[in-house]
Amino acid sequence: MRVVSLVPSLTEAVAESAPGVLAAATDWCTRPADLDVVRIGGTKNPDVDRITALAPDLVIANEEENRAPDLDALRAAGLRVLVTEVRTVAQAFPELSRVLGACGADERPPWLTRAEAAWSALPPPARRTTAVVPIWRRPWMVLGRDTFAGDVLARLGVDHRYAGHPERYPRIGLEELRAAAPDVVVLPDEPYRFTADDGPEAFPGLPCALVSGRHLTWYGPSLAEAPRVLGEALRAAHR
């Protein structure tokens, strides 16, 4: 079995669960840290010709992270393409099982069992808070409706202000974001790398939580520790 992954979180999941199966991955596939495979471009601009030349048994992709024209081109070249849809935590577990099974994993990996248990055992939040969640600046973009990250935060007691927006990742002006007066501004380190020196200064007077983008947006082994890691970062913003 030779697999090409176009999704960083799926790359990590397959590498941890079916060692030796991955033949190639995107430039953004940074986990595991020692991953040594052919690189085939970005998630939005994969090198279709190079992927085709590798003759993989399977290409794994995601309906949000990858573009339909690229996936269509891979199919037209005769490749089998498995496309996931993960917009909630609950969706992540069966989709991960489906991917790992297609990649030849012999049994359910322990990390997946731990991840499902971690989210199932999560107690109801003691209180709910409101947030805005920028994912980009210049221009400012935030989480909108129907996103995996939004569901992750909701399960941790954080309701983001634009969950009802018609768009999934709307562009919202900075003045409007400030005027939304959230309890906290959640600033992940991907896709835009917000840091202590780049992001919080735009929201004077508002608590800012710098969080791991991998734990907020990836569905893979990081799911097992995401409730704890994100919870600690959110609590730290209010100290």
Side-chain angles (χ1 to χ4, degrees):
M1 169 69 72
R2 287 165 51 80
V3 176
V4 171
S5 174
L6 302 182
V7 185
S9 55
L10 296 181
T11 297
E12 182 179 22
V14 173
E16 293 284 350
S17 311
V21 165
L22 283 173
T26 75
D27 299 339
W28 298 104
C29 293
T30 57
R31 295 296 184 107
D34 60 351
L35 183 67
D36 183 17
V37 297
V38 173
R39 300 294 175 162
I40 43 76
T43 57
K44 304 298 185 187
N45 58 345
D47 188 332
V48 172
D49 291 337
R50 191 171 193 189
I51 295 171
T52 302
L54 290 169
D57 301 295
L58 179 67
V59 177
I60 52 178
N62 174 261
E63 50 91 27
E64 177 178 57
E65 293 198 51
N66 308 118
R67 301 184 320 123
D70 294 323
L71 304 183
D72 290 342
L74 291 168
R75 294 188 185 98
L79 300 182
R80 179 187 171 205
V81 181
L82 186 160
V83 183
T84 59
E85 178 181 309
V86 180
R87 299 192 182 186
T88 66
V89 173
Q91 273 186 305
F93 303 117
E95 284 290 74
L96 284 164
S97 293
R98 182 165 73 100
V99 168
L100 296 177
C103 291
D106 293 330
E107 57 187 29
R108 183 182 177 88
W111 65 259
L112 186 53
T113 298
R114 290 196 303 271
E116 195 160 14
W119 286 97
S120 297
L122 198 64
R127 68 185 185 96
R128 304 202 68 83
T129 60
T130 60
V132 294
V133 190
I135 58 165
W136 202 259
R137 66 183 303 176
R138 306 181 192 94
W140 288 93
M141 299 174 66
V142 299
L143 290 186
R145 66 168 181 84
D146 193 23
T147 65
F148 175 77
D151 187 54
V152 166
L153 290 172
R155 290 167 181 264
L156 296 173
V158 180
D159 302 313
H160 68 92
R161 292 291 201 192
Y162 295 93
H165 196 281
E167 298 177 23
R168 297 185 66 214
Y169 301 100
R171 296 185 180 189
I172 307 293
L174 182 56
E175 291 305 318
E176 181 178 336
L177 295 180
R178 292 169 175 163
D183 297 317
V184 64
V185 179
V186 178
L187 297 170
D189 60 11
E190 63 173 82
Y192 185 92
R193 187 173 179 79
F194 288 105
T195 67
D197 299 320
D198 185 359
E201 82 290 343
F203 301 94
L206 290 175
C208 290
L210 293 165
V211 304
S212 160
R214 174 170 168 260
H215 292 95
L216 180 63
T217 65
W218 288 32
Y219 36 91
S222 58
L223 276 172
E225 59 186 17
R228 175 184 58 80
V229 171
L230 293 172
E232 289 173 354
L234 291 166
R235 287 190 294 274
H238 293 283
R239 289 174 186 160

